[in-house]
Amino acid sequence: MFRKIKSRALVRQASTARPRFAIYARCTSRGASTDSIDRQVDAAVDHVAEVGGVHVATFADRTGGGTSTDHRHELRRMLEAAEARSFGIVVVENLDRVSRDPDTLVTVFDRLHVLGIEIHLPGRGKLCRTDVTLQGMMVPGAGTTVPRRRSRR
């Protein structure tokens, strides 16, 4: 009897627990204004409030550049926190903030997905693998390249 009451209480507590959100933001390029990060974080915080979540962490790469992850220490910190299950949802303004490289974007998405962590966009909500794949296809230079025509002289 005690076990049933205790387990019901735990189920009730788990069902009323608010989801834990992390925010990831990135400057668009090296030397860009950090106002961009403030705007991204503000939009993400608004999204968290709209869905009734709890904002637990913000990761912001201020060094810019979205094609390489070598200098993106906050992205690595966010992935480490994901491994530690510090949050269940990451909010980003746009998927290109995670990476403009389609392979890296899919790798990050898959790593989070395996951990049971969702990626949300403000005003849109949860993204699926198809969303990520389509984003990768829309990035300039992604996918197959069409040979350029030679100009006649």
Side-chain angles (χ1 to χ4, degrees), residues 18-144:
R18 294 169 48 194
R20 297 168 51 87
F21 284 79
I23 295 170
Y24 179 75
R26 176 185 60 78
C27 282
T28 55
S29 61
R30 291 183 190 273
S33 168
T34 57
D35 291 347
S36 170
I37 288 184
D38 295 338
R39 180 184 41 76
Q40 293 171 57
V41 171
D42 289 346
V45 167
D46 290 346
H47 175 74
V48 172
E50 285 174 17
V51 298
V54 177
H55 174 207
V56 296
T58 298
F59 303 92
D61 278 310
R62 297 179 187 280
T63 56
T67 53
S68 171
T69 57
D70 295 340
H71 60 280
R72 310 243 318 268
H73 305 291
E74 290 295 294
L75 179 63
R76 284 197 290 277
R77 279 192 54 234
M78 189 264 300
L79 292 171
E80 289 169 3
E83 294 277 343
R85 305 291 202 280
S86 298
F87 52 85
I89 301 168
V90 177
V91 182
V92 295
E93 178 191 47
N94 195 328
L95 284 175
D96 68 358
R97 298 301 178 174
V98 175
S99 182
R100 280 181 278 177
D101 174 58
D103 295 331
T104 303
L105 179 60
V106 169
T107 299
V108 170
F109 177 84
D110 287 345
R111 190 167 167 190
L112 293 172
H113 182 73
V114 164
L115 296 169
I117 296 173
E118 300 173 359
I119 296 180
H120 283 209
L121 298 183
R124 167 101 190 264
K126 181 182 175 181
L127 300 180
C128 66
R129 175 67 188 252
T130 303
D131 297 320
V132 174
T133 303
L134 289 173
Q135 173 71 22
M137 292 169 58
M138 294 185 333
V139 172
T144 59

Side-chain angles (χ1 to χ4, degrees), residues 1-12:
M1 177 87 172
F2 176 71
R3 286 186 183 171
K4 284 185 180 180
I5 293 171
K6 186 176 181 181
S7 65
R8 284 183 194 154
L10 290 175
V11 168
R12 193 174 321 113

